[in-house]
Amino acid sequence: MKKNDCIFCKIANGEIPSKTLYEDEEFRMILDLNPATKGHALILPKDHADDLYGLSDGQASKIMLLAKKMAVKMTEKLQCDGLNLIQNNGEAAGQTVRHFHLHLIPRYTDDGQQLGWKPGETTQEELEEVRKQITG
Ligand code: AMP
Ligand code: ZN
């Protein structure tokens, strides 16, 4: 179902024009308006989900399959040297549009982008505690 006043619902369903790379009954893939690199694209479900937690299992598996297919195609056509899949959930994680989207960001040697995190430090004890917290 679409959500009123959701810009990505409108884009995914063709009510707002976009540079579409792929479309089927359930998904639209578009070029990002503020690309991190040449070819930066977003996979959007046509049915609204706020984020990863709101996706059905069926949507989740189809999105990864589509991402794989399009990553192969983009790498071939753009001749990029690598590609990042990024997907933000929640404000704390950097999500700015509350409609699920998966970023495909082609990477070029020396493209000057810095996508990533600052490596932290931990201990075996801490790792074990976290492991128990997640699996327990
Ligand atoms: P995130 O920070 O993961 O929520 O990413 C939101 C992304 O949506 C950013 O990369 C924006 O540049 C992109 N974006 C926002 N509005 C539009 C739009 N109307 N068309 C295409 N991309 C958009
Ligand atoms: Zn939406």
Side-chain angles (χ1 to χ4, degrees), residues 7-8 11 30-34 40 42 88 94-97 101 103:
I7 186 168
F8 277 8
I11 292 174
I30 64 166
L31 288 175
D32 195 294
L33 264 190
N34 296 105
H40 181 171
L42 305 171
N88 301 322
Q95 186 179 14
T96 58
V97 182
H101 48 283
H103 296 259

Side-chain angles (χ1 to χ4, degrees), residues 12-94:
N13 289 281
E15 291 161 35
I16 294 178
S18 62
K19 294 295 181 197
T20 295
L21 302 178
Y22 172 87
E23 184 186 5
D24 63 25
E25 274 195 2
E26 285 183 76
F27 304 103
R28 183 186 296 270
M29 184 169 175
I30 64 166
L31 288 175
D32 195 294
L33 264 190
N34 296 105
T37 63
K38 180 182 164 186
H40 181 171
L42 305 171
I43 295 178
L44 314 175
K46 292 186 176 182
D47 278 342
H48 182 88
D50 280 350
D51 50 30
L52 181 70
Y53 309 111
L55 290 182
S56 68
D57 288 357
Q59 283 175 310
S61 45
K62 285 177 194 165
I63 286 165
M64 190 48 78
L65 192 56
L66 177 57
K68 188 210 150 196
K69 284 184 181 160
M70 291 304 290
V72 169
K73 182 169 187 176
M74 288 162 73
T75 301
E76 186 190 316
K77 301 275 187 176
L78 295 170
Q79 291 285 293
C80 55
D81 304 304
L83 186 143
N84 292 112
L85 290 186
I86 296 181
Q87 201 275 307
N88 301 322
N89 297 286
E91 203 178 327

Side-chain angles (χ1 to χ4, degrees), residues 66-134:
L66 177 57
K68 188 210 150 196
K69 284 184 181 160
M70 291 304 290
V72 169
K73 182 169 187 176
M74 288 162 73
T75 301
E76 186 190 316
K77 301 275 187 176
L78 295 170
Q79 291 285 293
C80 55
D81 304 304
L83 186 143
N84 292 112
L85 290 186
I86 296 181
Q87 201 275 307
N88 301 322
N89 297 286
E91 203 178 327
Q95 186 179 14
T96 58
V97 182
R98 287 293 280 163
H99 175 123
F100 174 94
H101 48 283
L102 176 62
H103 296 259
L104 283 84
I105 306 182
R107 300 303 304 274
Y108 306 89
T109 305
D110 301 325
D111 62 23
Q113 275 296 344
Q114 288 186 328
L115 313 173
W117 57 88
K118 186 163 59 87
E121 286 178 7
T122 188
T123 60
Q124 285 302 314
E125 290 72 28
E126 268 180 358
L127 291 175
E128 180 57 13
E129 253 183 57
V130 177
R131 190 192 70 77
K132 281 193 191 139
Q133 193 176 352
I134 295 170

